[in-house]
Amino acid sequence: MIRNTLRMAEASAKRLKTSPVTIGTHNGHFHADEALAVYMLRLLPTYSSSQLVRTRDPALLQTCHTVVDVGGEYDASANRYDHHQRTFNTTFPNRPTKLSSAGLVYMHFGKAIIAQKLGVSEDAEEVAVIWNKIYESFIEALDAHDNGISAYDPKAISAAGLEKRFSDGGFSLGAMVSRLNPNWNDPTPSDPVEAQAVEDEKFLVASGRMGEEFSRDLDYYAKSWLPAREIVHKAYANRLEYDSKGRILVFDGQSVPWKDHLYTLEGQDGGESKVLYVLYPEKPTPDAKWRIQCVPVTKDSFESRKPLPEAWRGFRDEKLDEISGVSGGVFVHAAGFIGGNKSFEGAKAMAIKALDL
């Protein structure tokens, strides 16, 4: 037993000597938070060639440059990012959810990762915008999952007598990472060093999978979502041209990701009148057909603030023209959340008519 322990320590020591920077995390069953934490660190120059040490041995962890999700210590000045302490209650700025190791690493290193992606300084306004957005849209749910925090108040759900219609426990990134862990009855090498190496390889697969999702999210917000922000702001400023109450938003050239930006603008405005319909061409060409899309009650909701009229739903072409009284109709979805017309004027007429129906 002692000999095996020494061999594992020696193997870890050799890894430490091969690189000036090592990242330590715990061995055994791995989770989404430390898998992502390690990936995010390795995006930065300091950690790009880092070695990974997975252990719970305090002596080995003490030799690591940075330690995540183990060690019982949160001290950014010492590069220690554990969240399992009984007294730990740190949250991301202006958010209520207790952080996991992923949230801690993102809070301290996220701006550097984003600035590197955008090619700007960390104090640039757009870095802060994306930093907050990615936390709220991606990292926070992971923090909650790792800390056992429900999206809804369990007592309130129970009191309301609500029950799930189906199981969704396996439909998450956390569940995906869990499935990448070794099964209880998988063959395990008898040599502890070899066994740890097999486990570490599985962890690296999980880290890569989590990182792939994070990088896709970052890529989207940097290359698509952020450039769309200015376009949505312009359309929002011009909305009174189409309806005196500003309930119709129009994108002249082409559609862009608009929901997040619209809800933010409306929140800043604080007015009672909300945008109900968004109009945009199907493609950026003069002969493009136009869409009329209903604004959801919330970003993640399937319920529209004001669906297209029930009498129009499920009809197409000439029949839709006849029922709606607007020529050029292409379709209205059976659920009433979207429709189409051959021209902008036709789509605008449908929107104006729908406002009063």
Side-chain angles (χ1 to χ4, degrees):
M1 178 68 177
I2 294 174
R3 183 176 295 176
N4 285 336
T5 301
L6 288 172
R7 287 183 65 197
M8 292 177 71
E10 288 170 3
S12 295
K14 288 178 182 176
R15 289 201 296 270
L16 289 172
K17 291 176 182 177
T18 60
S19 173
V21 174
T22 54
I23 301 173
T25 190
H26 62 82
N27 57 358
H29 194 92
F30 48 81
H31 308 92
D33 69 316
E34 78 266 20
L36 179 58
V38 169
Y39 179 90
M40 288 191 291
L41 286 172
R42 285 178 157 178
L43 291 174
L44 296 169
T46 299
Y47 298 95
S48 61
S49 300
S50 61
Q51 291 288 322
L52 178 66
V53 177
R54 297 184 67 245
T55 181
R56 292 186 183 275
D57 184 339
L60 284 178
L61 291 173
Q62 185 65 34
T63 67
C64 294
H65 175 281
T66 301
V67 177
V68 300
D69 209 45
V70 69
E73 181 183 9
Y74 166 43
D75 181 359
S77 66
N79 290 316
R80 270 27 186 186
Y81 302 100
D82 195 15
H83 67 109
H84 294 100
Q85 306 84 280
R86 185 171 182 175
T87 56
F88 183 88
N89 58 7
T90 304
T91 64
F92 194 81
N94 302 312
R95 300 302 302 171
T97 306
K98 187 168 72 170
L99 299 177
S100 68
S101 63
L104 280 170
V105 167
Y106 182 77
M107 183 170 71
H108 288 282
F109 297 91
K111 286 185 178 179
I113 293 169
I114 295 165
Q116 177 178 270
K117 177 73 173 180
L118 297 178
V120 298
S121 64
E122 285 187 43
D123 57 1
E125 179 191 359
E126 57 266 38
V127 170
V129 170
I130 294 180
W131 183 65
N132 281 292
K133 187 59 192 173
I134 289 181
Y135 182 76
E136 293 176 15
S137 69
F138 188 88
I139 305 290
E140 186 169 22
L142 194 158
D143 286 342
H145 178 270
D146 194 74
N147 285 304
I149 301 170
S150 298
Y152 298 98
D153 180 359
K155 292 182 179 179
I157 290 176
S158 178
L162 299 177
E163 295 183 3
K164 279 189 173 181
R165 293 178 177 174
F166 53 85
S167 173
D168 60 355
F171 195 67
S172 70
L173 292 178
M176 177 273 291
V177 168
S178 183
R179 287 190 289 269
L180 293 172
N181 275 274
N183 293 314
W184 68 272
N185 54 355
D186 283 349
T188 303
S190 58
D191 185 310
V193 175
E194 292 181 15
Q196 186 60 59
V198 169
E199 185 185 281
D200 288 353
E201 285 300 315
K202 290 181 178 292
F203 173 83
L204 290 175
V205 172
S207 184
R209 291 284 294 277
M210 286 300 300
E212 184 179 340
E213 294 301 322
F214 173 80
S215 290
R216 280 195 180 126
D217 216 42
L218 175 57
D219 199 58
Y220 165 74
Y221 284 109
K223 294 182 178 179
S224 179
W225 183 86
L226 187 63
R229 187 167 174 246
E230 184 178 346
I231 296 172
V232 178
H233 279 224
K234 181 180 178 181
Y236 189 77
N238 295 335
R239 70 194 187 284
L240 296 178
E241 293 180 14
Y242 308 100
D243 173 64
S244 61
K245 296 181 180 179
R247 295 169 294 178
I248 299 174
L249 194 74
V250 176
F251 293 115
D252 294 325
Q254 67 182 99
S255 179
V256 298
W258 51 266
K259 292 179 184 177
D260 281 338
H261 301 302
L262 174 60
Y263 296 132
T264 298
L265 286 166
E266 289 182 332
Q268 293 171 349
D269 243 8
E272 293 184 6
S273 183
K274 305 292 185 183
V275 175
L276 301 180
Y277 302 124
V278 175
L279 310 185
Y280 56 87
E282 291 183 357
K283 52 186 179 180
T285 59
D287 61 343
K289 295 176 183 178
W290 279 70
R291 293 288 179 94
I292 170 173
Q293 185 172 347
C294 305
V295 177
V297 173
T298 64
K299 184 187 68 171
D300 301 317
S301 173
F302 290 112
E303 181 184 358
S304 300
R305 289 175 173 175
K306 185 174 178 57
L308 293 171
E310 195 279 332
W312 300 1
R313 299 176 201 173
F315 290 100
R316 305 183 60 88
D317 306 321
E318 291 83 3
K319 188 64 177 178
L320 177 59
D321 292 354
E322 178 185 332
I323 294 170
S324 67
V326 178
S327 62
V330 176
F331 78 100
V332 169
H333 193 279
F337 72 94
I338 194 168
N341 196 281
K342 294 176 182 177
S343 70
F344 164 66
E345 291 299 331
K348 183 175 72 170
M350 288 176 69
I352 292 172
K353 201 160 192 175
L355 288 173
D356 298 321
L357 293 177

